[in-house]
Amino acid sequence: MYDENNIFAKILRSEIPCNKIYEDNYTLIFHDIKPSAPVHLLAIPKGKFKSFNDFILNAPQEHITSYFKSIQNITNNQKIVDSGYRLITNHGNHGMQTVEHFHVHILGGKLLGPIISGDKFHT
Ligand code: 5GP
C-alpha cells in the first residue's frame, strides 16, 4: 500500500519545500537534501507509485515515457552527459529504499567510484 505520508508525497503536495529544478504534469525533479555528489538530484513521478516495480506495472505508458525523457533532459541541462553520470533506484528491503515513493537518483559531477562499496560477494 502507498503511504500518503511519505516525505515525497508531502513534497508533491507542497506541504514541505524542496529545491526544485524541473516540474511538469508527470514529473518533479529536485535536489537531494543530503547530496552524495556535486550533482545529486531526485526525479519522482507525480501520482502514487511506491517503487520502480509499481511505476512500471501501473503507470500509463505516456507517464513512463515522459518521466524517463525528463530525466534524460536534466542530464543534458546539468551538463553531465559527456563526463558521465549514474542513475540509481532502490527497491524494497535489500535495495535499502528509505522513501516509499518511486524515485531515481541522478548522480554526477565527479568520478563516482564503484557501484557498491564493501566486501565482494562470494558464492
Ligand atoms: P532512497 O534511500 O529511498 O533511495 O533515497 C531517499 C533519498 O531521499 C535520500 O538520498 C535522502 O537524502 C533523500 N531525502 C530524504 N528526505 C528528504 C527531504 O525531505 N528532501 C529532499 N530533498 N531529499 C530527501
Side-chain angles (χ1 to χ4, degrees):
M1 266 250 299
Y2 181 83
D3 172 13
E4 307 268 357
N5 285 320
N6 77 73
I7 203 92
F8 295 166
K10 290 180 180 174
I11 286 175
L12 278 176
R13 293 195 298 265
S14 301
E15 290 169 11
I16 64 166
C18 71
N19 192 349
K20 173 168 72 177
I21 62 162
Y22 177 79
E23 182 170 18
D24 65 21
N25 289 339
Y26 294 112
T27 302
L28 176 67
I29 302 181
F30 53 95
H31 289 271
D32 195 294
I33 206 166
K34 229 178 125 191
S36 299
V39 177
H40 187 171
L41 307 173
L42 298 168
I44 65 175
K46 294 188 174 178
K48 298 173 186 176
F49 302 105
K50 200 171 163 181
S51 71
F52 176 72
N53 261 53
D54 187 16
F55 186 56
I56 297 300
L57 289 174
N58 296 313
Q61 187 61 49
E62 69 198 52
H63 195 163
I64 296 169
T65 303
S66 174
Y67 170 79
F68 283 104
K69 278 188 181 291
S70 295
I71 291 176
Q72 190 281 327
N73 272 335
I74 288 300
T75 63
N76 214 28
N77 293 349
Q78 295 285 312
K79 305 194 187 324
I80 54 174
V81 175
D82 289 344
S83 51
Y85 61 88
R86 182 174 292 157
L87 305 180
I88 295 175
T89 189
N90 296 318
H91 168 87
N93 188 28
H94 283 187
M96 296 185 76
Q97 181 177 5
T98 60
V99 179
E100 293 207 333
H101 181 110
F102 171 49
H103 51 283
V104 166
H105 298 254
I106 304 167
L107 294 149
K110 71 166 196 174
L111 190 62
L112 293 166
I115 193 157
I116 296 175
S117 61
D119 292 342
K120 287 227 178 289
F121 175 72
H122 296 289
T123 51

